[in-house]
Amino acid sequence: MSWPPQSINKSLPDAKSVFFNLPKPTPCLPHVFLTAISLLFFISSTKRNPSFVKFLPFVSSDRRRFLKIPSMSHSGPPFANPQALSDWLKPRLPSDSLASWGVKPGTKNVHNLWLELSEGETTIVDSSPPLRTVNVVTVRVMGKDDLILVESRQQLSDGSFRDRFRPLSEKMKPNETVEEAVARAVKEELGSVIDPGSVRIVPGSYIKKLEERNSASYPGLPVRYVLHSVDAWVEGVPEEDFCTDEQEEYQDLNGTMELEKAVSVRKHFWKWVSSDSLRS
C-alpha cells in the first residue's frame, strides 16, 4: 500500500469569483455596533477561560505533527524499578523459572527486562503467564555464492556463551522505521569491522511475520516476536569467520546502576552459511 494515499481532487468554484459576485452589504450603524459588542465578548471570554486558548497550538503549519502516529507509548517505564517488576512477576510465573533468570547460562535477568520495558522495546500483557511482545528487525546480510551471514553465538558479560545461529537481529525502538532499525542494527553489531554507512536493502525483500515461543532469555515467560525481515548488501564484511564487539545497548537511566546489573552481550561470533541451511 502506497503512502501517503492519493489525494481526492474535487472540483470547486473559484473562491475569488464567488466572493466578488456576492452582493455588497450596505454599512449600517446597528450592524457595526453589534460587531463591536461581539468582539469585546470574544476577548473577555478568552481572558476568563484560559483553557479556550489551549486549542491554538494544534493549528500548525508543520504537517509532520499530524502524520506522526506513534506505534508504542514511551512516556516512561511501567514499573518504578526492577524490584517492582520482580514483585509483579512472582505470582504470575513459576518460581523455578523466575529464579533461573540471570543464573542459568545464556539467560538474562529482571534488570534486562526492566530496561527493555523502560526503553519501549518490549511490552508485556497481564495474563497467565504474562505475554511479552517484541518487534525485531532481522537483516539477512548477503555474501558471495549465495551465502548468508549468521551469528553463531554470543559471549555475555557474565562470561557465559549462548548459541544463536540466526541472521543479524535487533530489537526495534519505539517509532523506529525498518530502514532506521536496519542501519542501527548493522552499526551496533558490525560497526567495529565495517563502515556502517555501506548498507543497501534489497528491494522487495521485506517480509513480516509473527512467531510465538518460550523465551530463551527469560525462561517461563512466553514471547511473541513481530519479525521484520530484509535482505541487505553490506560492504566491507570479512569473508572468513570473525567476531565483533557489542556497543553499549542502553544508556544509564536517571543515574541509576541498573545498567551494570543487567546481563549484556560483549562479543558476537559470525560465520557464513548456505542460504538453504536457513530455510526451515
Side-chain angles (χ1 to χ4, degrees):
M1 179 179 178
S2 61
W3 183 261
Q6 295 180 352
S7 61
I8 301 176
N9 296 321
K10 294 184 179 180
S11 177
L12 296 174
D14 181 67
K16 185 179 293 186
S17 63
V18 172
F19 177 81
F20 285 107
N21 287 332
L22 292 175
K24 296 183 178 180
T26 304
C28 181
L29 183 59
H31 290 174
V32 174
F33 178 78
L34 289 175
T35 301
I37 292 297
S38 300
L39 287 174
L40 288 173
F41 176 77
F42 175 81
I43 295 172
S44 62
S45 297
T46 56
K47 289 181 178 179
R48 289 195 305 268
N49 185 10
S51 62
F52 179 84
V53 299
K54 290 182 180 179
F55 292 96
L56 294 179
F58 182 80
V59 182
S60 170
S61 59
D62 186 0
R63 297 176 64 248
R64 291 175 295 181
R65 290 188 60 183
F66 302 97
L67 297 177
K68 185 178 180 181
I69 304 175
S71 59
M72 188 183 305
S73 175
H74 186 45
S75 57
F79 300 95
N81 49 55
Q83 184 60 51
L85 174 59
S86 179
D87 293 342
W88 184 84
L89 288 169
K90 283 179 181 178
R92 294 169 172 81
L93 292 178
S95 58
D96 57 339
S97 297
L98 186 57
S100 69
W101 290 14
V103 177
K104 182 180 178 181
T107 63
K108 296 181 179 180
N109 59 35
V110 70
H111 297 273
N112 291 93
L113 183 57
W114 183 79
L115 286 169
E116 291 179 14
L117 291 166
S118 300
E119 291 288 317
E121 296 176 340
T122 291
T123 59
I124 193 165
V125 176
D126 189 0
S127 56
S128 297
L131 177 65
R132 170 175 165 251
T133 300
V134 189
N135 278 270
V136 177
V137 66
T138 299
V139 187
R140 289 164 44 98
V141 179
M142 314 295 289
K144 296 180 180 179
D145 302 322
D146 201 28
L147 296 179
I148 304 293
L149 184 68
V150 299
E151 184 182 22
S152 58
R153 60 177 181 161
Q154 295 175 340
Q155 182 181 6
L156 304 181
S157 58
D158 61 3
S160 64
F161 290 83
R162 63 175 180 174
D163 294 332
R164 299 283 284 173
F165 198 76
R166 65 186 63 177
L168 189 155
S169 302
E170 188 70 30
K171 294 184 292 293
M172 296 180 68
K173 303 288 186 182
N175 306 320
E176 192 173 42
T177 66
V178 172
E179 292 81 1
E180 291 169 343
V182 168
R184 180 177 58 82
V186 171
K187 178 181 179 180
E188 289 182 1
E189 301 197 7
L190 299 179
S192 61
V193 296
I194 66 157
D195 176 9
S198 56
V199 181
R200 292 179 296 157
I201 296 176
V202 177
S205 64
Y206 173 76
I207 298 175
K208 179 181 178 180
K209 65 178 181 178
L210 299 179
E211 286 187 5
E212 290 191 11
R213 57 177 180 262
N214 291 323
S215 174
S217 299
Y218 307 105
L221 181 63
V223 60
R224 175 186 292 137
Y225 290 109
V226 184
L227 301 175
H228 305 266
S229 176
V230 299
D231 295 345
W233 294 293
V234 181
E235 298 178 6
V237 180
E239 297 182 2
E240 304 295 332
D241 295 353
F242 64 98
C243 68
T244 57
D245 296 322
E246 168 77 10
Q247 297 184 10
E248 284 295 341
E249 187 174 6
Y250 302 108
Q251 299 297 322
D252 195 9
L253 296 174
N254 301 324
T256 66
M257 302 300 291
E258 307 306 336
L259 185 60
E260 296 182 6
K261 300 175 184 177
V263 178
S264 58
V265 178
R266 287 290 182 257
K267 286 185 178 295
H268 302 270
F269 296 84
W270 306 93
K271 64 185 300 183
W272 295 96
V273 300
S274 169
S275 58
D276 293 333
S277 64
L278 294 176
R279 295 168 185 165
S280 58

